[in-house]
Amino acid sequence: MDLINVKDLCFQEKVKNFIKKSDTVFNLGPVNFNLKAGETLAIVGENGSGKSLLAKLLIGLEQPSSGHILLSGHDLSKSSLSQKCHDIRMIFQNSNESLNPGLTLGAILEEPLRLNTSLTSQERNLKIEETLKQVGLMNDHKFFYRHMLSDGQRQRVALARALILNPKIIVADEPFAALDPSVRSQTVNLLMRLQRELGLGFIFISHNLGIVRHISDKVIVMKQGQVVESGKTDVIFNWPNDQYTKKLVDAHQALVNSQDN
Amino acid sequence: MQRFSLYQEEYHPSPLHFTWLEFKQNHIAVVGLYCLLFFVVITVFCPILAPFDPTLQSAGDLLIPPAWYSNGGISHLLGTDALGRDILSRVIYGCRMTFGISVILVILAMLIGVGLGAVAGMSEGFRSSFVNHVLDSIKAIPTLLIAIIIIAILGIGLVNSMWAIMLALIPQFVHQTREFVSREMKKEYVLAAKLDGANNIQIFFRSIIPNMGEALVVQATLALSISVLDISALGFLNLGAQSPMPELGTMLSEGIEVAYIAPWTIAIPGGTIFLMMISINLVGDGLRSALRNRLLH
């Protein structure tokens, strides 16, 4: 049973225009992939290749022009907003921007619970403390404001916010880009541990092929909105078919080799 | 669950307490706050505090100077005016009229203005830019002028001048809220709230309002000082509060006639307005930097 199954997902970005009715400026897809519980999918590609747009389609911020997203067999476009919020959660690239500066972390984490569950305030509080502990923060952190935390802690809060509704899938848009190497590896390990424990499906966008190779089971390579190659990570890294993928992998290999020497 | 708290001695002040801790650092603002509290107490308890009826005329005590003059008396601490009314009682009641009415007007204008501004800020396209340009042009006209125009339509009197000032204050709140909300709506934390499943109303009340404190305080103090000035200015011009009413601006215009022989009749209400303005602005300024610093350190 697939956790998520994406079939022929397409999206046309149009610019409204006074003279002509509309102009298609960007075509995405068709994108096809499926993911089982506990698996990780990486989306790689150059800037402007539609990676973030794909993430937006997955979490429901944009409506696809055609195609289906099946979440454990149910069509996502037919399920309610609160169900969507429950099952697919997003981690933003810049965790600093995605946390409300005027609220304590407790209030930030309580918001999704208040909106999507019928827990009482004590149960919410327990859940918040439990989730904070899960991502390696302390109970006391719920009284903290955004500006009192370090980058790594903010990323953990962003993760806590995604986890608090017990989602099935987490979509992350370059979650590791803004972090320094040590915090990055901490966060990667934390994510992998949580994924193992909770059986999450994890879809992430990254430029860092090292991390992609390290944690992902499947890879989608995108270029100008088109999927040029997709498949198992090992296969793609060892036997790339497409010219573009070859270039990417070679560049990565050259970087790794130069670091080894 | 954690079995023990690691930092027992550490306590976590509420946002309000945080603001107060920051506010306390600014001593001048604290002085302003005491001054403002003094005016609030006077406004609330003026019937108890005032020694005489503010409209009571005693023909025997015309133009008695304040107590510190050699020919002044202790029974009229701040002297009497040309009709023999006790100036202390009139100033105390005048604070209630000028200050109390201003506070009510600002609260009403803020509620209406912020509500309209939020709706305008959340909407997009033609409607939003139409509202924006109309408000921009209204904002360019001074509120006193708008108030006088409205009074010219409604007729003179205190209640009409209250309506006029409130209507004149609303565009500023609308404009500022609209700008703030539309700016915040583009930020990522609002997107995150949307992904939590919040609708626009919930986003406004739960995500945007907690960040709006600073902007609201700035606008509210500005509006409060504008409204104090406008009420007394309209009273002074005989467009607002009418003559027997103990309103600070009206008292000033009555005192003008006897200013040379009895300067205290204009100095005391004038000084009261001055003190009021200073304390409002000091508190507003202190509160603004306290709210900003709360989120910085």
Side-chain angles (χ1 to χ4, degrees):
Chain A
M1 182 69 180
D2 292 330
L3 188 57
I4 188 169
N5 199 336
V6 174
K7 282 187 202 154
D8 298 325
L9 191 70
C10 291
F11 181 79
Q12 267 113 37
E13 194 172 9
K14 286 175 177 159
V15 171
K16 281 199 181 133
N17 196 315
F18 278 116
I19 305 159
K20 282 194 288 179
K21 263 282 170 265
S22 60
D23 240 349
T24 306
V25 286
F26 191 79
N27 271 312
L28 180 82
V31 180
N32 287 292
F33 67 84
N34 60 340
L35 200 65
K36 290 189 174 58
E39 280 189 327
T40 305
L41 172 80
I43 304 170
V44 297
E46 61 191 0
N47 287 336
S49 59
K51 306 188 299 280
S52 297
L53 186 60
L54 180 55
K56 278 183 185 165
L57 287 172
L58 289 175
I59 56 172
L61 269 184
E62 301 278 357
Q63 291 305 316
S65 17
S66 65
H68 298 284
I69 304 172
L70 298 176
L71 192 71
S72 16
H74 300 288
D75 199 332
L76 198 63
S77 59
K78 292 193 183 90
S79 60
S80 68
L81 180 69
S82 113
Q83 191 61 36
K84 253 186 238 177
C85 300
H86 233 123
D87 292 339
I88 303 186
R89 300 284 286 165
M90 169 114 186
I91 300 177
F92 291 91
Q93 174 177 11
N94 193 338
S95 54
N96 189 25
E97 286 287 305
S98 70
L99 301 177
N100 193 330
L103 295 178
T104 59
L105 299 189
I108 292 176
L109 292 177
E110 196 175 7
E111 202 56 30
L113 289 178
R114 190 200 299 272
L115 290 167
N116 294 300
T117 64
S118 51
L119 301 176
T120 63
S121 97
Q122 277 137 7
E123 288 168 330
R124 286 200 293 253
N125 210 2
L126 273 179
K127 180 75 186 157
I128 290 169
E129 289 179 358
E130 191 186 306
T131 314
L132 280 175
K133 202 181 150 207
Q134 226 169 20
V135 297
L137 294 169
M138 288 190 301
N139 283 351
D140 292 23
H141 279 109
K142 64 179 176 215
F143 301 109
F144 280 41
Y145 285 92
R146 180 183 92 175
H147 66 274
M148 302 172 176
L149 302 175
S150 70
D151 282 343
Q153 285 172 322
R154 284 177 191 153
Q155 198 66 40
R156 280 164 193 261
V157 176
L159 188 58
R161 183 185 190 151
L163 286 174
I164 202 160
L165 287 177
N166 301 328
K168 294 178 178 145
I169 291 172
I170 289 184
V171 178
D173 190 351
E174 305 200 28
F176 315 115
L179 304 173
D180 65 83
S182 67
V183 178
R184 189 188 298 155
S185 48
Q186 269 180 28
T187 317
V188 169
N189 289 339
L190 175 68
L191 255 172
M192 288 175 78
R193 180 170 64 77
L194 288 173
Q195 194 184 12
R196 227 176 17 247
E197 283 171 7
L198 306 172
L200 294 169
F202 183 49
I203 299 174
F204 78 109
I205 296 171
S206 184
H207 281 297
N208 190 326
L209 290 183
I211 291 180
V212 170
R213 192 170 194 174
H214 183 50
I215 68 174
S216 65
D217 303 302
K218 292 177 177 174
V219 179
I220 290 182
V221 184
M222 294 186 74
K223 189 187 182 188
Q224 289 164 354
Q226 306 302 313
V227 175
V228 289
E229 205 164 351
S230 69
K232 295 231 181 294
T233 311
D234 281 346
V235 179
I236 291 206
F237 271 85
N238 290 320
W239 301 281
N241 266 330
D242 190 82
Q243 200 61 38
Y244 180 65
T245 321
K246 262 182 199 145
K247 263 190 204 166
L248 272 179
V249 173
D250 286 347
H252 170 61
Q253 274 312 329
L255 198 70
V256 172
N257 291 338
S258 74
Q259 275 170 350
D260 285 346
N261 295 332
Chain B
M1 284 299 298
Q2 244 167 289
R3 273 173 299 145
F4 54 89
S5 170
L6 219 49
Y7 303 105
Q8 206 98 62
E9 72 278 11
E10 198 171 334
Y11 83 114
H12 300 283
S14 69
L16 213 61
H17 193 196
F18 249 124
T19 314
W20 170 240
L21 288 178
E22 288 290 342
F23 187 81
K24 264 200 319 198
Q25 307 292 316
N26 188 346
H27 300 299
I28 300 176
V30 174
V31 173
L33 180 68
Y34 287 138
C35 214
L36 200 65
L37 285 180
F38 174 69
F39 280 119
V40 170
V41 169
I42 287 180
T43 305
V44 175
F45 296 108
C46 74
I48 305 171
L49 293 172
F52 294 92
D53 183 347
T55 49
L56 180 74
Q57 307 178 1
S58 54
D61 309 323
L62 298 185
L63 293 178
I64 293 178
W68 55 86
Y69 281 77
S70 56
N71 51 348
I74 197 71
S75 63
H76 296 289
L77 209 57
L78 295 178
T80 56
D81 64 4
L83 292 173
R85 294 173 296 196
D86 182 49
I87 290 188
L88 178 62
S89 312
R90 281 181 76 71
V91 166
I92 287 176
Y93 272 91
C95 282
R96 170 178 257 191
M97 295 216 93
T98 312
F99 185 70
I101 288 174
S102 299
V103 170
I104 293 170
L105 289 184
V106 168
I107 290 173
L108 286 177
M110 187 156 83
L111 288 178
I112 298 170
V114 168
L116 290 176
V119 173
M122 298 246 175
S123 64
E124 282 166 357
F126 178 73
R127 207 187 328 160
S128 167
S129 80
F130 177 75
V131 172
N132 197 19
H133 289 303
V134 168
L135 289 173
D136 264 345
S137 52
I138 292 178
K139 217 184 156 207
I141 312 169
T143 51
L144 187 58
L145 203 59
I146 302 179
I148 289 176
I149 294 170
I150 296 174
I151 283 175
I153 300 166
L154 293 177
I156 59 174
L158 182 64
V159 177
N160 285 349
S161 76
M162 282 165 67
W163 280 113
I165 292 168
M166 191 177 83
L167 289 175
L169 287 177
I170 288 174
Q172 304 191 349
F173 279 107
V174 177
H175 185 269
Q176 198 218 20
T177 312
R178 196 207 73 86
E179 206 160 281
F180 187 85
V181 169
S182 69
R183 198 170 57 227
E184 295 298 296
M185 284 300 276
K186 294 191 185 78
K187 291 194 175 165
E188 227 167 35
Y189 73 81
V190 171
L191 192 65
K194 259 184 209 159
L195 289 178
D196 287 343
N199 59 27
N200 272 357
I201 298 169
Q202 285 160 334
I203 286 176
F204 178 68
F205 281 105
R206 298 205 157 275
S207 303
I208 296 182
I209 286 260
N211 293 306
M212 235 176 125
E214 189 192 331
L216 273 187
V217 162
V218 173
Q219 193 58 45
T221 28
L222 198 67
L224 193 57
S225 49
I226 287 176
S227 128
V228 166
L229 269 189
D230 283 3
I231 284 186
S232 25
L234 288 175
F236 184 79
L237 296 172
N238 278 327
L239 295 173
Q242 293 303 303
S243 196
M245 280 187 187
E247 198 276 321
L248 294 175
T250 318
M251 288 169 70
L252 271 180
S253 77
E254 285 167 9
I256 286 268
E257 294 156 21
V258 288
Y260 286 111
I261 47 169
W264 59 87
T265 53
I266 57 166
I268 289 163
T272 312
I273 294 175
F274 172 71
L275 207 60
M276 222 179 258
M277 299 296 290
I278 270 200
S279 57
I280 290 169
N281 282 305
L282 281 180
V283 170
D285 194 48
L287 208 53
R288 183 183 58 165
S289 52
L291 285 171
R292 195 176 42 217
N293 289 343
R294 174 169 77 92
L295 297 178
L296 288 179
H297 42 74

